Amino acid sequence: MRTFTQHTTQSTDWSLQQSADLYRIPAWGKGYFGINDLGHLTVHPKQDAPPPSLPPSSISPSVAAPSSAAIDLKELIDQLRSRDIHTPILLRFTDLLRERLAEIASAFQTAITENDYQSNYCAVYPVKVNQQRHVVEEVLGFCKQHNFGIEAGSKPELLAVLALVTDNDTPIICNGFKDDAFIEAVILASKIGRNIIPVVEKLSELRLIIRCAKKHNVRPRIGVRVKLATTAASKWEDSGGMRSKFGLFISELLDAIEILRSENMLDCLQLLHSHIGSQLSDSAQIKRAVNELARVYCELHKSGASMQLLDVGGGFGVDYDGSQSTAHSSINYTPQEYANNIIFHIKEACDAAQVPHPTIISESGRAMVAYSSVLVFDILGWSGFKRFPLPEATPKNLEDLIKPVQTLYETFAEINTDNYIEYYHDAQMNRDEALSLFNLGYGSLQERGLAEKLFFGICSKVLTIVKTLPDMPEEFANLEAMLADTYFINGSVFQSLPDSWAIEQMFPIAPIHRLDQEPTCRGKLVDITCDSDGRIEKFIDATGTKDVLELHTLTDDPYYIAVFLVGAYQEILGDLHNLFGDTNAVHVSLDDNNQVSIDEVVEGDTVSEVLRYVQYEPEELRRNMRRIIEQSIKNKKLTVNEGKALRLFYEQGLAGTTYLNPDSNT
Ligand SMILES: *Cc1c(COP(=O)(O)O)cnc(C)c1O
C-alpha cells in the first residue's frame, strides 16, 4: 500500500498520513475521499483515476492535477463564499452518485456472470431516502443508464414520481399503505403504459386493486409483500419479521392466491417483496432472509402465479465508521459480497425447485445516495477551560486564600506519575470544599474561580499521565470528555443530522483543511439550537467510538468541518427546531476537463419561509414592526435613523438565511 508522503513545509512533524489515519479517511472514504498536498480534504469521484487516498504530492504535480481529478473541498467552500453562498452548505457530488450507482450495477453484473445467473438485476431508488427534486432527477437520470427504477412509498411520493417518469420502461414500485385514490392513480398509470407495480401490504389492498382494475379494464402487474420469519438485528429490526407493520402473513399470502385465482387474475401476481430493515450490518442475516424469501418465491411460482420479479427490499448498508464490522454504523460486507450473496442464494433456491430465475430487484436507497453528500459547517467559536491561562506561580497572597484553594495550588504544582491517583482524589475533595465554603458565605467569587481553574488544571495533568498507561483506569475514563473543548457549529443537528440525535447514528467528521497541522485540541460539537440535545459527542474511532474529536486551535480565519456520508435520510428527516431551516445545497461536478463545476445552487430556507410554515405572515410582521418603530420614534425612544436601522435589520433578517453569517460581522 502506498502511503502519504511527509509534508515538509510545516514546522511540526505532523504528516498528512497521520491526519488520514486519525480521521479514518481511507477506512470510510472507500477511495472517494482523500487529502491533498495543501492539507485540504478532497473528493475523488472518478474511480478510474489513480487511488485517491494518495496526495497529489506523491506524483509529480503536473501529472497529478488532471489525472487524479480531485475536488478540493476547502477551495470549493472559498469559491462559494466569494459568491455569497455561505456555510452551512450541503454539497451534493453528482459524480459520486453516478459512481455509486455504477458500482452497485457492476457488483451485480459480476455476480450474475460468475454464478451463471439466468436473469438480471434492477435496483430501484426508494424516494423516501431523499425526495428533493434535484436529487431525484439526478438519480433517475443515472438509473436509466442501468435500467434501474424508482420506488414510492406514499401518495405524495407517487404523485411526484408519476410526473417525473415519462417513459414506459422505468420500473415504478409502489409500497406503503394505499387507499382508493392511491390505487386508482396506479391503475391509471398502468393504463397509459407505465411499468408500475403496486405491492400489496395488507390483504384489503388486493381487493381494492382488483376492483379498480376491473373498473378501468386494466390487467395490472401486482406485487405482494410478505412477512418473513427472519429478522435482522439493526436499528430497524421491526421493519421485518412477524411484528412488521407491513406485509402479509404466509396464511394471508395463500388467501391472496385464492382470491386472485377466483378472479382469474393469478397471472397478474408477478412480484414478491420483503424488506427486513435498513442498514443491515451482518451479511449472515441477509443470506438467511434472502434464502427464506427465495423459498416463498418458488412456492408462489409453483402455485401458478406468473412470478417474474423478486424484490429483496432495502437494507444494503453503508460503512459509516469504516470498521467493516457488525456495529450499527458499519457493515461487514462489500457491495460485491452483497451482490454475490443475493444472486447465489436466489439461484440456489430456484435451481433446487426448478423455477426459472427471477429478475432481482433491490430497493437500495442508502447505499445509492449516502456517499454523494457532504455537509460543511463553519465553527462560530469555542469554549473550554483550556482557554483560561492556568496559574503559573503561587501567588504572593497564598496565605490569605481559603484553605482548599491553597491546597489545590500545592496539588497542582506537585502532582506526578507516582502520586496522581491520591492527588486527584485530594483535588476533588478540595474543590468540593471550596464550593461548600463559598455557598456558606466564606470565600470570594475569585477564590471559587481559582478553585475551578486549578481543578481543571490538575485534571488535565492527570489526563496526560493516564494516557501514557497501557490501560486507562476506569475512574478516569470520562476525564477526556469532561475536559473537552466545545466547538460551536453554525448549524442545527436537528435539521441537518437528525439521525445523529435520534438514533445515535455515527457519521465521519473531519476538518476540511489544516490537515497538514497537528490538531492539538480535543472537542465536542454543539449546535446553535437552544436544545441541549443539539450536540455531537461521539465520534468514529478505530475501536468503537471516542468522546472527543481532534480539532485545530481556532485562528482569525474561518475553520470548517465536514460531516460525510449524509446523502441518505438526513435531509428529509430534518426538522425546524428553533426555526433553523434547510441549509444551502450546492450541486458540484467535474466537467470533461476535470474542472470543478458548480451546477446548481438550491438556496436554503429564508426566515420568511420558515415563519410562514408555522403560519406567520411575514408581510404582516413587517407592517407590525413598522408601526412599533414609528410609535417609538414618536415617543422619542428611537431617533429617525435608529428607527431606519432597526427596520432595515428586520427586513433583511426576514429575507435572509436562518443561520448565522459570520461574514456580516465585519
Ligand atoms: C426504507 C425502505 C427502503 C430503503 O432502505 P435502505 O436501507 O435505505 O436501502 C426500501 N424498501 C422499503 C420498503 C423501505 O421502507
Side-chain angles (χ1 to χ4, degrees):
M1 208 182 97
R2 296 161 76 183
T3 53
F4 287 89
T5 47
Q6 197 82 15
H7 197 271
T8 46
T9 55
Q10 281 295 319
S11 54
T12 68
D13 56 3
W14 187 257
S15 69
L16 299 177
Q17 182 67 48
Q18 280 170 291
S19 278
D21 292 344
L22 180 62
Y23 299 110
R24 302 180 52 67
I25 296 169
W28 53 261
K30 306 279 182 249
Y32 294 131
F33 299 93
I35 303 176
N36 69 13
D37 210 21
L38 300 169
H40 296 174
L41 239 149
T42 47
V43 180
H44 300 253
K46 297 189 176 168
Q47 294 289 289
D48 48 355
S53 51
L54 298 169
S57 65
S58 57
I59 320 162
S60 93
S62 55
V63 183
S67 61
S68 67
I71 302 171
D72 179 323
L73 280 181
K74 172 63 166 52
E75 200 175 299
L76 178 60
I77 291 295
D78 288 343
Q79 288 281 332
L80 289 167
R81 186 171 164 212
S82 66
R83 290 165 172 73
D84 260 343
I85 303 160
H86 294 283
T87 44
I89 297 176
L90 184 75
L91 298 167
R92 299 192 186 120
F93 294 100
T94 311
D95 303 298
L96 276 185
L97 186 62
R98 184 186 46 232
E99 200 63 34
R100 267 303 272 186
L101 262 76
E103 191 179 348
I104 294 169
S106 129
F108 274 91
Q109 202 42 58
T110 303
I112 284 171
T113 311
E114 287 185 356
N115 287 284
D116 193 23
Y117 190 78
Q118 297 301 311
S119 187
N120 43 19
Y121 166 75
C122 163
V124 297
Y125 174 66
V127 282
K128 77 154 194 259
V129 179
N130 190 336
Q131 304 95 336
Q132 300 284 336
R133 177 174 62 85
H134 294 95
V135 174
V136 175
E137 283 176 351
E138 274 187 356
V139 175
L140 264 177
F142 298 137
C143 276
K144 274 216 184 105
Q145 297 171 8
H146 302 286
N147 297 321
F148 286 178
I150 193 156
E151 185 260 14
S154 68
K155 190 154 46 177
E157 286 180 0
L158 177 66
L159 298 183
V161 164
L162 283 181
L164 286 180
V165 176
T166 51
D167 62 83
N168 289 341
D169 301 317
T170 305
I172 307 171
I173 307 284
C174 302
N175 292 321
F177 292 132
K178 303 168 194 66
D179 60 7
D180 269 325
F182 189 130
I183 285 170
E184 191 136 19
V186 173
I187 295 296
L188 290 173
S190 295
K191 188 153 192 169
I192 60 175
R194 293 293 180 261
N195 184 7
I196 190 166
I197 306 182
V199 175
V200 174
E201 305 271 8
K202 315 193 263 74
L203 209 48
S204 57
E205 291 173 4
L206 181 63
R207 298 182 215 280
L208 290 179
I209 291 171
I210 293 171
R211 200 171 64 208
C212 192
K214 288 195 167 153
K215 176 173 156 197
H216 294 291
N217 197 22
V218 174
R219 286 194 82 76
R221 304 177 84 183
I222 300 175
V224 279
R225 178 165 176 173
V226 64
K227 286 192 213 285
L228 296 181
T230 311
T231 53
S234 87
K235 297 254 181 198
W236 294 269
E237 60 192 35
D238 287 344
S239 314
M242 293 306 177
R243 292 197 46 243
S244 154
K245 70 183 197 189
F246 298 106
L248 306 186
F249 287 104
I250 296 292
S251 52
E252 293 175 306
L253 190 58
L254 296 171
D255 293 344
I257 291 171
E258 289 320 310
I259 293 169
L260 284 166
R261 201 193 302 279
S262 68
E263 299 287 348
N264 214 5
M265 284 176 73
L266 195 51
D267 59 308
C268 295
L269 180 57
Q270 299 182 3
L271 175 147
L272 176 68
H273 168 244
S274 170
H275 170 71
I276 63 166
S278 199
Q279 183 65 16
L280 301 175
S281 305
D282 188 356
S283 69
Q285 291 163 334
I286 298 171
K287 284 182 210 172
R288 277 198 296 276
V290 165
N291 189 53
E292 185 185 351
L293 185 64
R295 284 289 306 124
V296 177
Y297 178 89
C298 293
E299 292 301 311
L300 283 182
H301 190 276
K302 286 187 194 164
S303 75
S306 304
M307 300 307 290
Q308 294 171 14
L309 306 159
L310 183 49
D311 179 348
V312 298
F316 183 175
V318 165
D319 192 4
Y320 291 100
D321 66 13
S323 66
Q324 295 183 32
S325 71
T326 56
H328 282 315
S329 295
S330 185
I331 52 173
N332 69 354
Y333 51 89
T334 61
Q336 191 59 60
E337 262 177 271
Y338 180 78
N340 291 349
N341 275 333
I342 288 176
I343 298 288
F344 175 81
H345 287 279
I346 293 175
K347 176 183 153 80
E348 200 180 49
C350 290
D351 287 352
Q354 294 187 316
V355 164
H357 298 169
T359 292
I360 296 171
I361 295 177
S362 83
E363 302 171 343
S364 302
R366 183 188 301 273
M368 282 187 188
V369 297
Y371 283 89
S372 61
S373 296
V374 175
L375 179 67
V376 182
F377 292 116
D378 53 289
I379 297 292
L380 292 165
W382 60 4
S383 76
F385 86 91
K386 276 190 242 158
R387 308 287 141 254
F388 333 138
L390 282 170
E392 284 184 3
T394 359
K396 282 188 223 56
N397 66 341
L398 186 66
E399 300 290 294
D400 304 332
L401 299 173
I402 53 172
K403 190 76 180 117
V405 174
Q406 291 184 28
T407 319
L408 283 168
Y409 262 111
E410 283 160 23
T411 312
F412 179 70
E414 289 164 19
I415 193 163
N416 62 37
T417 0
D418 300 322
N419 63 21
Y420 75 95
I421 296 186
E422 186 189 341
Y423 274 41
Y424 176 67
H425 294 155
D426 288 348
Q428 284 178 317
M429 206 178 68
N430 283 302
R431 176 206 51 188
D432 293 348
E433 227 164 81
L435 184 60
S436 307
L437 285 176
F438 177 79
N439 287 343
L440 289 168
Y442 307 101
S444 63
L445 204 54
Q446 275 72 21
E447 282 166 315
R448 201 183 141 178
L450 271 176
E452 184 180 87
K453 244 192 229 186
L454 287 162
F455 180 70
F456 281 134
I458 292 163
C459 291
S460 175
K461 287 190 171 182
V462 173
L463 183 62
T464 314
I465 294 167
V466 295
K467 280 182 108 174
T468 63
L469 305 177
D471 286 309
M472 169 90 70
E474 179 75 30
E475 174 174 16
F476 303 110
N478 291 331
L479 216 50
E480 178 126 68
M482 187 186 96
L483 293 175
D485 293 312
T486 301
Y487 280 68
F488 298 94
I489 55 172
N490 188 15
S492 157
V493 167
F494 304 93
Q495 175 59 255
S496 297
L497 298 166
D499 279 344
S500 157
W501 162 65
I503 56 169
E504 290 168 17
Q505 158 91 56
M506 309 290 297
F507 293 98
I509 304 178
I512 61 167
H513 55 138
R514 299 176 64 185
L515 296 168
D516 51 356
Q517 301 166 26
E518 182 173 3
T520 51
C521 298
R522 304 287 175 268
K524 308 179 198 198
L525 305 177
V526 307
D527 73 3
I528 50 170
T529 67
C530 304
D531 194 313
S532 57
D533 273 355
R535 52 173 67 224
I536 303 175
E537 301 185 304
K538 290 277 179 227
F539 305 93
I540 63 165
D541 197 11
T543 52
T545 62
K546 59 186 177 189
D547 300 327
V548 289
L549 183 66
E550 291 78 359
L551 292 164
H552 299 88
T553 52
L554 293 191
T555 65
D556 290 338
D557 294 323
Y559 186 53
Y560 298 108
I561 60 162
V563 188
F564 298 86
L565 316 189
V566 296
Y569 299 108
Q570 302 318 296
E571 279 189 72
I572 201 63
L573 289 176
D575 65 44
L576 289 176
H577 201 359
N578 271 138
L579 298 186
F580 288 110
D582 280 345
T583 67
N584 292 318
V586 178
H587 289 235
V588 181
S589 65
L590 285 172
D591 67 15
D592 294 342
N593 300 320
N594 287 336
Q595 296 298 306
V596 177
S597 148
I598 296 168
D599 301 324
E600 190 91 55
V601 176
V602 187
E603 281 174 32
D605 291 325
T606 64
V607 171
S608 285
E609 282 168 324
V610 298
L611 284 173
R612 241 184 232 121
Y613 190 74
V614 285
Q615 272 84 49
Y616 292 89
E617 185 39 64
E619 192 46 36
E620 199 178 306
L621 295 177
R622 210 177 59 81
R623 278 201 305 273
N624 283 357
M625 201 61 210
R626 208 179 178 125
R627 211 173 302 128
I628 292 165
I629 292 169
E630 279 310 321
Q631 199 76 49
S632 309
I633 294 174
K634 209 160 104 192
N635 297 342
K636 307 243 179 313
K637 288 183 179 158
L638 288 181
T639 66
V640 172
N641 271 342
E642 284 167 341
K644 190 170 152 189
L646 179 54
R647 187 166 55 80
L648 211 65
F649 161 81
Y650 194 85
E651 289 177 1
Q652 284 174 349
L654 283 176
T657 147
T658 56
Y659 295 93
L660 304 181
N661 180 0
D663 281 7
S664 68
N665 295 344
T666 50

